[in-house]
Amino acid sequence: MLLAIGESSLVACCARKSARRSCRRDAVGWGLGFYGPPFYLHAVHESRGWSLNVVSTAVTVHFLFGAIVIANLPRLYRRFGLARVTKAGSLALAIGVAGWALAQEPWQLFVATLFSGGGWVTMGAAAVNAIVAPWFVRKRPAALASAYNGSSIGGVVFSPLWVAAIGLLGFPLAAIAIGVVVVATIWILADLYYSKTPESMGLRPDGDAPHAAATTLPMSSPAKPLPSTRVWRDWRLLTLATGMALGLFAQIGLLAHLFSLLVPALDAQLAGFAAGGATASAILGRTLVGWLMPARADRRLFGCANYAVQILGSLAFLFAAGDNIPLLLLGVVLFGAGIGNTTSLPPMIAQAEFSQEDVSPVVPLIVAVGQGTYAFAPAVFGLIRELAPRWGSASAGAAPWLFLAAALIQILAVVVFFIGRPRKA
């Protein structure tokens, strides 16, 4: 009896440590690769004088190339292992961010985006799922929520940090200094923790004793495995991937420009804290979903509600007209509350709707489709921002068509998620 209790405590402790290390790794990765581009866009636009279209397209290439890498992550993990892939990704990310800061010509900026985009996804959403999934089955929703919250800390910390560091050191020195710290941190964590799995340590997921029968581990869903030749004919997969892609397209398109739109009303440092506040709201929103969502709940309905909150945030930005500070801050809170769930809910939906053997390939697939779609959002929203006719307020931070576009796209995401709900037997 004491031996069984000790074994169960050991695996639970290892699982918690694995999730915590994933949080730290992904916090720095997301701080540079996911939450960093809005600040890079503003810094490059201001320092080089290049058009918003050029710099927005660079952000698009950053995310688009990352989507290609995501689609190949399972193959890379099998060949080189999680630790080596993560270490290589952190080095590429640091080189890429330095390239953003040092680029003297637009073509150099686009080369840098290949390194930054390909590097950060080794610490992105698919990577979070890859490191957490072996340690948790029954408790995976809570574990993923915790890991994604850790990733979101990158936005809380790095948003004001980027503004302060760029203001104090300039963009090139700030990028190099932060990049060196990130690479050192990731390499230490990778060597110490990411090479371990429950199987290699003789343990089982969820804190179960090593000698427990395999039947104690439930299937993620009673659904039959997907035939490889009919993957894209599956209605669940189509609606899940499309809904996630639409939600992320609206989210990334707005976030890529939000910092520069807040600066005229708040100034740079306060706008940086506001951007960090959006991420803090994301952590709170994801935590609330983790508390309120029952194990057997229709997770797609929670996804619809999440997009509805972000729609309200987009409308708050719209009516703020660029200079109404209370409405701008309300928009930050409401829109931010849905940021985390837009990333973390689809993998949880996949776990509920697909068989256990399908979850591992389905999650990277929907993440890659989502990133491949939202990669174009910064450029598209940049075009909307530059070419759309003036509407109402002449404030420098007013972008009514941009916020309206975000709201309409999120309405489509709600519709797609809703019509894809599985029928009750």
Side-chain angles (χ1 to χ4, degrees):
M1 175 69 73
L2 292 176
L3 178 60
I5 294 174
E7 290 170 339
S8 178
S9 300
L10 175 62
V11 71
C13 179
C14 291
R16 288 193 297 269
K17 285 184 177 180
S18 176
R20 285 198 298 268
R21 306 307 175 187
S22 176
C23 292
R24 295 175 187 178
R25 175 197 70 170
D26 299 315
V28 295
W30 287 48
L32 270 69
F34 186 79
Y35 296 104
F39 302 96
Y40 311 156
L41 181 149
H42 183 70
V44 172
H45 176 61
E46 291 291 316
S47 63
R48 298 288 184 263
W50 298 338
S51 71
L52 275 174
N53 284 340
V54 169
V55 188
S56 298
T57 303
V59 178
T60 284
V61 175
H62 164 89
F63 286 121
L64 185 60
F65 187 72
I68 297 173
V69 176
I70 288 175
N72 290 280
L73 274 180
R75 186 180 300 109
L76 292 172
Y77 287 149
R78 287 193 299 269
R79 182 169 181 179
F80 300 106
L82 179 64
R84 290 180 181 176
V85 171
T86 304
K87 289 165 70 174
S90 68
L91 184 59
L93 174 58
I95 292 171
V97 173
W100 276 81
L102 297 171
Q104 299 298 313
E105 299 291 339
W107 70 265
Q108 296 170 352
L109 177 62
F110 284 95
V111 171
T113 63
L114 302 181
F115 285 90
S116 62
W120 93 268
V121 296
T122 64
M123 293 158 272
V128 171
N129 191 76
I131 194 172
V132 169
W135 294 94
F136 299 93
V137 176
R138 294 189 308 274
K139 302 175 184 178
R140 191 176 300 171
L144 280 175
S146 175
Y148 283 125
N149 277 343
S151 303
S152 297
I153 291 296
V156 177
V157 173
F158 278 88
S159 293
L161 176 62
W162 273 119
V163 177
I166 291 172
L168 181 65
L169 304 174
F171 191 18
L173 283 179
I176 293 171
I178 293 175
V180 169
V181 172
V182 165
V183 170
T185 302
I186 295 300
W187 280 52
I188 292 172
L189 291 175
D191 283 336
L192 290 177
Y193 300 104
Y194 299 150
S195 59
K196 296 181 175 65
T197 64
E199 292 78 11
S200 68
M201 300 177 67
L203 303 173
R204 295 181 67 84
D206 292 315
D208 292 339
H211 60 272
T215 53
T216 60
L217 294 177
M219 294 289 289
S220 49
S221 167
K224 295 181 180 179
L226 288 173
S228 58
T229 57
R230 297 181 57 224
V231 169
W232 287 112
R233 297 182 186 180
D234 188 89
W235 183 244
R236 298 165 302 163
L237 180 60
L238 281 172
T239 54
L240 179 58
T242 303
M244 182 182 186
L246 286 169
L248 285 170
F249 189 92
Q251 179 171 288
I252 300 304
L254 193 156
L255 288 178
H257 295 272
L258 183 59
F259 174 72
S260 61
L261 289 171
L262 292 174
V263 167
L266 302 178
D267 79 41
Q269 193 62 61
L270 287 178
F273 280 108
T279 310
S281 297
I283 295 173
L284 178 60
R286 189 187 286 121
T287 302
L288 287 175
V289 168
W291 287 345
L292 298 176
M293 186 173 69
R296 296 186 178 276
D298 186 337
R299 297 177 181 182
R300 286 188 185 243
L301 289 181
F302 278 82
C304 293
N306 181 71
Y307 290 139
V309 172
Q310 287 196 305
I311 291 167
L312 294 176
S314 298
L315 295 177
F317 286 131
L318 174 65
F319 292 115
D323 54 12
N324 187 314
I325 294 179
L327 279 178
L328 286 174
L329 296 180
L330 178 62
V332 166
V333 172
L334 291 174
F335 193 85
I339 292 174
N341 290 316
T342 301
T343 305
S344 60
L345 269 174
M348 297 183 196
I349 294 171
Q351 187 199 18
E353 294 185 0
F354 294 91
S355 65
Q356 186 174 2
E357 55 265 39
D358 283 332
V359 172
S360 294
V362 162
V363 170
L365 186 59
I366 62 174
V367 171
V369 170
Q371 184 159 330
T373 303
Y374 78 63
F376 295 96
V380 171
F381 277 63
L383 287 172
I384 293 173
R385 185 175 169 185
E386 283 207 331
L387 302 180
R390 278 288 177 186
W391 172 16
S393 174
S395 169
W401 294 106
L402 183 149
F403 298 124
L404 187 59
L408 291 175
I409 294 169
Q410 286 166 318
I411 289 172
L412 288 177
V414 170
V415 172
V416 171
F417 261 21
F418 189 81
I419 64 176
R421 296 169 63 210
R423 296 179 180 178
K424 298 292 184 181

